[in-house]
Amino acid sequence: MTDGTDDGRLFEWYRTYIGEPDREVDVYLGFALFFAGIGFGIAAFVIGAVGQLTGAGGESADFVYREAAIAAGMLALPATLSSVVVLLPVSKRALYGAAAGSAITLVGLGGFIWAYPYAWARPPGPTYSVQVLFVYGVGLAALLAATGGALVAYHIDRAKPRPGDFTEADEDTGEEITDEQIEQDIESA
């Protein structure tokens, strides 16, 4: 990936905001998940708005629009969070955690599609809303943990001093740095 060729806008964005990519698949998959998450979020809004604005079809059509909008929204968050983990140069453990969390959220989504609307929250029959939301929440928690861990690891890695950042001359100047010099540096920055 360091051959210096013009790889396109995605690689330009990656180099600008993250660094030099390790593999092409990280860039393509990461941005695909990110844009898919954005697309699912927009689709959820549009489907919900269309369902509300049209009002045609009666109660059963309302449930279809709501189910589609909620399902698209339930896909948006895991896709967007997964994109962060895939894009950042992180360990395999973070990638596995994100994959497991995403898989669990997909199980929760499947449960929602199965249960909504008749077994969702409409007594007197059995309702499964709490169970489905619990499964989805567990998956989302695992995904958030993987994403948060990836972000923290990435920022810690960026904050480490690199070889060549300091020289022996920087360490052995023999001068004391005064509070006034620090204040001047802060003001000039």
Side-chain angles (χ1 to χ4, degrees):
M1 290 303 316
T2 59
D3 57 0
T5 61
D6 184 27
D7 294 318
R9 183 159 299 197
L10 292 180
F11 285 90
E12 181 182 321
W13 289 342
Y14 192 94
R15 285 185 185 102
T16 300
Y17 297 110
I18 298 172
E20 190 62 34
D22 294 331
R23 303 177 312 163
E24 282 186 23
V25 71
D26 294 339
V27 177
Y28 289 126
L29 180 61
F31 279 113
L33 285 168
F34 178 76
F35 291 125
I38 300 293
F40 284 132
I42 292 169
F45 176 76
V46 169
I47 293 167
V50 166
Q52 284 294 104
L53 294 175
T54 60
E59 187 176 312
S60 63
D62 288 344
F63 284 128
V64 170
Y65 281 114
R66 282 188 207 132
E67 183 176 20
I70 293 169
M74 289 175 79
L75 283 172
L77 194 54
T80 307
L81 289 173
S82 295
S83 73
V84 172
V85 178
V86 172
L87 282 169
L88 293 177
V90 296
S91 69
K92 295 276 187 210
R93 188 172 42 178
L95 291 171
Y96 294 146
S102 296
I104 295 170
T105 60
L106 289 176
V107 170
L109 174 63
F112 169 76
I113 291 170
W114 172 79
Y116 190 82
Y118 300 110
W120 185 248
R122 300 181 97 189
T127 60
Y128 297 100
S129 57
V130 172
Q131 293 90 335
V132 168
L133 291 175
F134 177 77
V135 170
Y136 184 80
V138 167
L140 209 53
L143 190 52
L144 282 169
T147 304
L151 286 169
V152 168
Y154 174 69
H155 285 293
I156 287 173
D157 187 54
R158 285 186 60 144
K160 287 181 186 175
R162 303 278 182 228
D165 285 350
F166 300 102
T167 62
E168 283 187 33
D170 293 333
E171 295 174 8
D172 279 341
T173 59
E175 297 178 17
E176 287 286 322
I177 299 174
T178 65
D179 290 337
E180 291 175 8
Q181 290 172 324
I182 294 171
E183 291 293 328
Q184 288 174 351
D185 288 345
I186 292 171
E187 287 177 18
S188 65

